[in-house]
Amino acid sequence: MKTGLIFVLLGAALSAALPGMGSARGTSLVGQAAAGVVTEDPSKFGKVLIMQVLPGTQGLYGFLTAILLLTNAGVMGGSGDFTLSVEKGLAYMFACLPIVIVGYFSAMAQAKAAAGGVGIIAKRPDQSGKGIIFAAMVETYAVLALLISLLAIMNVNGLNI
């Protein structure tokens, strides 16, 4: 039965799409704030660019999760025999949920913190490291969600379902 494959593909699609959407929205938000700073002082471009990149990492985490899921489930580089049970397909899909949910929301939250960091750079460029730390603190939760999803995906094959 190939029904399990549908859930694997859904998990991979959600893993890539939602954190990617959050990262796209997040980097856009910070980019808008950064553009205002660079308009006033082009020499601050490098510092505000770092702030803009930070909310983009969740999209990378989601992409990595999707690739690992497809590889682990045998869809990529596998034998082509997609006879996953519905239960195993669902287990793979649920394993993706931490990065799907946390990836999206943490990208948006990190963007707000990074936009605040752009404000720091605008007024006190010598304090830019503090803005980076504020935004990086939000990253911690995306990394934890990534780790949980990856560990769960790697252990689904061991389930007797």
Side-chain angles (χ1 to χ4, degrees):
M1 176 177 284
K2 298 183 184 210
T3 311
L5 177 63
I6 293 168
F7 292 114
V8 168
L9 295 175
L10 181 58
L14 291 172
S15 293
L18 266 67
M21 288 168 42
S23 285
R25 289 184 66 199
T27 56
S28 172
L29 186 144
V30 179
Q32 292 171 43
V37 171
V38 172
T39 299
E40 294 296 318
D41 186 355
S43 70
K44 295 177 180 169
F45 174 76
K47 289 184 179 191
V48 296
L49 179 62
I50 292 168
M51 301 306 293
Q52 185 184 16
V53 168
L54 288 172
T57 56
Q58 285 83 343
L60 294 173
Y61 299 160
F63 177 73
L64 176 66
T65 302
I67 295 297
L68 182 71
L69 169 64
L70 294 172
T71 302
N72 213 47
V75 177
M76 287 179 50
S79 63
D81 179 27
F82 307 122
T83 55
L84 290 172
S85 67
V86 172
E87 294 84 0
K88 196 165 270 194
L90 281 168
Y92 275 122
M93 186 184 75
F94 285 126
C96 297
L97 290 182
I99 195 59
V100 168
I101 296 166
V102 177
Y104 177 80
F105 287 107
S106 69
M108 295 306 303
Q110 189 174 36
K112 292 174 185 174
V118 168
I120 292 172
I121 293 167
K123 295 183 180 189
R124 309 253 334 250
D126 59 314
Q127 301 295 312
S128 64
K130 292 177 181 171
I132 292 170
I133 290 170
F134 293 145
M137 292 304 296
V138 181
E139 183 84 17
T140 304
Y141 299 98
V143 170
L144 292 175
L146 170 67
L147 290 174
I148 291 300
S149 284
L150 296 184
L151 288 171
I153 289 167
M154 290 188 298
N155 285 293
V156 168
N157 268 342
L159 297 176
N160 192 16
I161 54 175

